[in-house]
Amino acid sequence: MNRQSVELQVRLGRLTLDNPVLVASGTFGYAREMESLVDLSRLGGILPKTITQEPRAGNAPWRTIETSAGMLNSIGLDNDGIEAFIAHHLPYLADLGPAIVVSVAGRDHDEFVRLAARLDGLEGVAALELNISCPNVSGGVDFGTDPQMCERLVAACRGACELPIIAKLTPNVTSVAQIARAAEAGGADALSLINTVLAMGVDWRRQRPLLGGGMGGLSGPAIKPIALRAVFQAARAVDIPVVGIGGIASIDDVMEFLVAGATAVQLGTVNFYKPTASIEILDALPAALAELGAASVADVVGTLKSEPA
Ligand SMILES: Cc1cc2nc3c(=O)[nH]c(=O)nc-3n(C[C@H](O)[C@H](O)[C@H](O)COP(=O)(O)O)c2cc1C
């Protein structure tokens, strides 16, 4: 297969992306911070930091800590609130070119629905990602752990807006498949997973937790095998596309997620230590797909064979 002729466009339900490489919420600011480092126009999609109804100051420090092969964070959804996002960040994002997938988190069911309705029809908003999986806000994960609440919430957000909806799932559940099916039943266009893995760090000398929030989320290369497993399970459980997230830092990582069942990927923690990773991956993607004889991204999605390598 000629690498020039490989089709990179992918579809996530009603959302079409020029390519499958996106940047994950909370790890790319509002994109402006990255413009001197990354050719933003090349990305398949950008997910700004999760926004909430009201501005949030977030958790007490420390909020981020490096761990072996990853990082712990307990940011606590520090953000300026939806009206400031619409006034100050959206106009810049809307001009960049890539699909802007706005990540939202409500304190409760009704707030999620209000956020969805408020973003409906705004220029530059291509889709919504429902952050029902943040481990760093109290009560925030209920929608991502209780299948009934999840289905009801996705259905209500779908009813409140015309935008394609991606439900972002947590790995901190017994059955990823069960919650994936619930989000699909609610009408999600696609699923994205995983958010961070609930974790903690301890300062034994001071006999205290390291993070201001007590516990937090583990991300980075350390969680990649967990994410691969979760993506594989979710993709097998549903008919809608799955977006893989978790420790992705190289073209090999991306190909592993596609083969395991992801239609697209989001890069998170790598943006902090190698901000050019997304562009390097995009440069390498056609050749890697061609190596498998694929004419498109879709040709390799979920092609994992059952026998071990
Ligand atoms: C510092 C930090 C902040 C994050 N903030 C958000 C957020 O606001 N909303 C969200 O959905 N995920 C957030 N995440 C989770 C990432 O989007 C991603 O799901 C997770 O880190 C796993 O991917 P990675 O291993 O590539 O980082 C955050 C992660 C980190 C490290």
Side-chain angles (χ1 to χ4, degrees), residues 15 19 56 58 75 100 105 139 148 153 159 225 253 262 264 272 279 290:
L15 175 67
N19 70 66
R56 282 177 64 100
I75 306 288
I100 304 302
Q148 278 175 346
L153 181 75
D253 295 338
F272 295 121
I279 302 303

Side-chain angles (χ1 to χ4, degrees), residues 24-27 48-50 64 71 73 75 77 103 129 131 133-134 168 194-196 218-221 223 245-248 266-270 272:
S25 182
T27 66
K49 174 76 186 167
T50 296
T64 58
M71 68 184 278
N73 91 79
I75 306 288
L77 296 187
S103 169
E129 186 177 75
N131 180 359
S133 46
C134 180
K168 182 166 180 179
I194 58 177
N195 208 317
T196 53
L218 182 65
S219 64
I223 69 168
I245 323 169
I248 299 175
Q266 292 179 18
L267 275 52
T269 299
V270 71
F272 295 121

Side-chain angles (χ1 to χ4, degrees), residues 93-199:
L93 289 161
D95 271 352
L96 293 174
I100 304 302
V101 180
V102 180
S103 169
V104 295
R107 265 178 315 186
D108 53 30
H109 178 98
D110 291 347
E111 197 169 292
F112 264 105
V113 177
R114 273 201 302 280
L115 287 161
R118 180 71 182 93
L119 289 162
D120 196 25
L122 293 185
E123 195 189 330
V125 181
L128 292 186
E129 186 177 75
L130 304 181
N131 180 359
I132 53 172
S133 46
C134 180
N136 296 323
V137 286
S138 86
V141 295
D142 296 346
F143 299 103
T145 55
D146 180 317
Q148 278 175 346
M149 284 176 77
C150 173
E151 178 176 342
R152 223 181 115 238
L153 181 75
V154 174
C157 291
R158 175 111 199 210
C161 72
E162 305 259 300
L163 294 163
I165 290 182
I166 303 173
K168 182 166 180 179
L169 306 185
T170 175
N172 306 314
V173 288
T174 309
S175 171
V176 167
Q178 193 183 27
I179 203 84
R181 279 191 218 103
E184 180 182 43
D189 288 82
L191 309 175
S192 59
L193 64 160
I194 58 177
N195 208 317
T196 53
V197 178
L198 190 60

Side-chain angles (χ1 to χ4, degrees), residues 18-42:
D18 287 345
N19 70 66
V21 180
L22 298 88
V23 285
S25 182
T27 66
F28 212 72
Y30 296 101
R32 199 182 265 119
E33 301 87 324
M34 307 300 273
E35 70 178 10
S36 62
L37 299 165
V38 180
D39 179 354
L40 301 172
S41 69
R42 289 193 57 197

Side-chain angles (χ1 to χ4, degrees), residues 59 94 100 122 281-282 293-294:
N59 290 337
I100 304 302
L122 293 185
I281 286 169
L282 277 165

Side-chain angles (χ1 to χ4, degrees), residues 171-277:
N172 306 314
V173 288
T174 309
S175 171
V176 167
Q178 193 183 27
I179 203 84
R181 279 191 218 103
E184 180 182 43
D189 288 82
L191 309 175
S192 59
L193 64 160
I194 58 177
N195 208 317
T196 53
V197 178
L198 190 60
M200 73 183 295
V202 168
D203 178 341
W204 70 266
R205 290 198 168 81
R206 292 172 54 242
Q207 293 156 285
R208 288 172 205 277
L210 284 170
L211 289 169
M215 292 185 199
L218 182 65
S219 64
I223 69 168
K224 192 185 84 173
I226 298 171
L228 273 171
R229 181 270 300 167
V231 163
F232 174 74
Q233 289 179 322
R236 290 272 162 124
V238 297
D239 292 325
I240 52 175
V242 170
V243 181
I245 323 169
I248 299 175
S250 69
I251 183 63
D252 290 327
D253 295 338
V254 171
M255 294 302 291
E256 290 169 25
F257 274 85
L258 297 180
V259 168
T263 296
V265 294
Q266 292 179 18
L267 275 52
T269 299
V270 71
N271 295 311
F272 295 121
Y273 65 88
K274 192 182 181 196
T276 52

